[in-house]
Amino acid sequence: MLGNFTYCNPTKLYFGRDALNGLNEELPKYGKNVLLVYGGGSIKKNGIYDKVVAILKANGKEIFEDGGVMPNPTSDKLEEGVRRAEAANADLILAVGGGSVCDYAKAVSVSVNCGGDPWEKYFIRFEEPTCKIIPVGCVLTMVGTGSEMNGGSVITNHAQKLKIGHVFGENVFPKFSVMNPEFTFTLPKYQMIAGIYDIMSHILEQYFSGTDDNTSDYIMEGLLRSLIHSANIAVKDPTDYEARSNIMWTATWALNTLVAKGKTTDWMVHMLGQAVAAHTDATHGMTLAAVSLPYYRFIMDSGLDKFARYAVNVWHVDPKGKTAKQTAQEGLAEMEKWMISIGLVMNITELGATEEMLDGIVKSTLVMDGGYKILNAVDIRAVLLASY
Amino acid sequence: MLGNFTYCNPTKLYFGRDALNGLNEELPKYGKNVLLVYGGGSIKKNGIYDKVVAILKANGKEIFEDGGVMPNPTSDKLEEGVRRAEAANADLILAVGGGSVCDYAKAVSVSVNCGGDPWEKYFIRFEEPTCKIIPVGCVLTMVGTGSEMNGGSVITNHAQKLKIGHVFGENVFPKFSVMNPEFTFTLPKYQMIAGIYDIMSHILEQYFSGTDDNTSDYIMEGLLRSLIHSANIAVKDPTDYEARSNIMWTATWALNTLVAKGKTTDWMVHMLGQAVAAHTDATHGMTLAAVSLPYYRFIMDSGLDKFARYAVNVWHVDPKGKTAKQTAQEGLAEMEKWMISIGLVMNITELGATEEMLDGIVKSTLVMDGGYKILNAVDIRAVLLASY
């Protein structure tokens, strides 16, 4: 833990089969008008919508609806949400859905009273909100982004072919989140697996950076081992409560600021994946999966000790009689085998990326400087080509 | 993560070489009167007292002093602190010291406006505070208890020969804590090592319980590996900033409620250690070290799978060709070798426990029921005898 840092995460979490009862403790803290935000309507089919509405009504709330949040929430939808929240005079935004819905709720929460174009303000100029922020609560129905306990918000602008995340401060974190692992049972397997890899990628983005000895690296190795263990169970039986609950909890701690404290981080896999998504609208976790190994193999020599440590501590590679490079390569090979075994998409062609898109994806890829190697446009093209 | 639980930890942490500057952000949030709580005066020798006082004065605070908090804060001292806080009409209690000082500050904070006998109310009857709680901030100068980010408070009653901890809720957590690893450099080596084992024991008390698959167990294995690694460096060079900072951060996450979520816990080592301390006034971490292996060897057969997992994942025991029992035993043997190597006290005789005290210590030992085996008085006597 070499750097100076502050840590504060005030979000209250209600976890478990009875987590939704937490709404009865939280709702009385806020005013009457609740903007209920959700996605494509699956919560109406699986009964979660009815349960939430019943609790809102029992607590005397007036409900205003904002459905139809897409998996990659757009800047156009964000503008619509701001108008709806204004019309509702919302005292609380309650997001019921996955990370996209929660991300979107946060973006609305900082835009209602702020004026200006929120896309330009927060996702191009990365300003901090200076206006009154509407409180946000989340009821999670999908796992992966960690949005339930952080300030992250990712918005896509189709006209500009950009998908950009802003990590807001504590004042934008959800005030509370409801986390019932059973709510994730009905999620299609493709989405579950994409979420699992999203979690893994969040950890690896923070792990593969720096050469210092950091407690966070040990915590991340623990989180990765837990995730792999539980994922292997969940892909066979998505209704295994214990596995799904461990995955849900791992997702939260993978990206609620803890494991980044006192260390540098990378996030280049997300930049590559988000550029692919901006052109293909593919599922977030799958875009990360498809670009990860090409990227890690490209940078491995520049962070060899950490990749060798990863192989031993996460993938149980026996380093005896091997060079660091051999150990590291074996670790990535084990990772690849595992990724294929759980059903992840391993190249961007399968996600709809065409040769004609390549120039555009390269152009849309923001470059980060915290990893083991800073990529230029030629490097980015090489990594992406390895994923075709 | 099988159980229902809530998680909320609102404490703001300022970590690193410049952490004390955090006081300039926090102090303006509170009123003029600050009760400055500290221990035996070492902070006056190492310059921390002067730095804190200068910042308090620069922020226009009126300082009221309450020094002389002992390593095992007593119920008598607590009564004195309550009187001092009342006389000061304290708006903030600023604890500068280790866990004892921070524990004590929390006990004062819930007792000033509550009336009654705080020892009886909180440590015998385990009531929750219903009165106005004075905000507490901590400036850590010693590492181990995690008191900087939790609601724990341990008080000793000499007349009753009892040392009892109360784990208060979020409303009693410190509002902020300042964590500068350099502040721990001047601590005597004996205290540093005792603190390291206190951390290890906190993790093990939460690890050795339950048979479910829990993400927390993986996180704890990571914390243990980080702790062992950094402790080995720190005992050779107590001024190694990286090692001391990792130990400091591990201590916080070992006992700020996170790793206990969704699982059962034991805490029997603390009950045994606290009983020893109530009779000998020995250093907390050393009492835990002296009783740990006798206790773990006594209960090992009842939690064999977990002890075998511990051996493999923390002590790198190769389980090939061994029974679970052999693996588990080898793990505890490795732990013993390591404990001796860093200079921990391995029996309670060295801590001042005499044969005449044995009956009293057995009597003072509270029995917990979350571990792998529930001890009766005969068991407790056997465990303690193995530590003579």
Side-chain angles (χ1 to χ4, degrees), chain B residues 289-318:
Chain B
V291 301
S292 280
L293 279 168
Y295 174 67
Y296 288 135
R297 288 188 167 124
F298 192 84
I299 66 162
M300 193 189 81
D301 283 342
S302 305
L304 206 51
D305 288 349
K306 197 61 164 286
F307 279 96
R309 173 180 168 164
Y310 172 65
V312 174
N313 289 354
V314 177
W315 296 104
H316 308 291
V317 172
D318 184 351

Side-chain angles (χ1 to χ4, degrees), chain A residues 116-189:
Chain A
D117 176 344
W119 168 258
E120 290 289 329
K121 183 178 171 73
Y122 296 120
F123 301 92
I124 296 294
R125 295 198 305 271
F126 288 94
E127 290 178 20
E128 286 306 305
T130 49
C131 54
K132 191 172 167 282
I133 300 160
I134 302 177
V136 169
C138 296
V139 177
L140 261 203
T141 63
M142 193 176 153
V143 162
T145 71
S147 190
E148 65 275 12
M149 203 191 191
N150 66 32
S153 178
V154 185
I155 298 294
T156 298
N157 185 309
H158 280 309
Q160 298 177 19
K161 294 253 180 254
L162 287 172
K163 176 179 174 180
I164 296 178
H166 185 142
V167 181
F168 291 99
E170 291 139 46
N171 49 351
V172 184
F173 286 28
K175 300 297 175 209
F176 62 89
S177 286
V178 169
M179 303 171 68
N180 181 343
E182 289 177 335
F183 286 2
T184 69
F185 284 4
T186 55
L187 195 73
K189 199 166 178 178

Side-chain angles (χ1 to χ4, degrees), chain A residues 311-312 315-322 327 330, chain B residues 320:
Chain A
V312 174
W315 297 103
H316 308 288
V317 173
D318 184 350
K320 252 177 254 155
K322 291 170 197 155
T327 303
E330 218 175 288
Chain B
K320 252 178 255 156

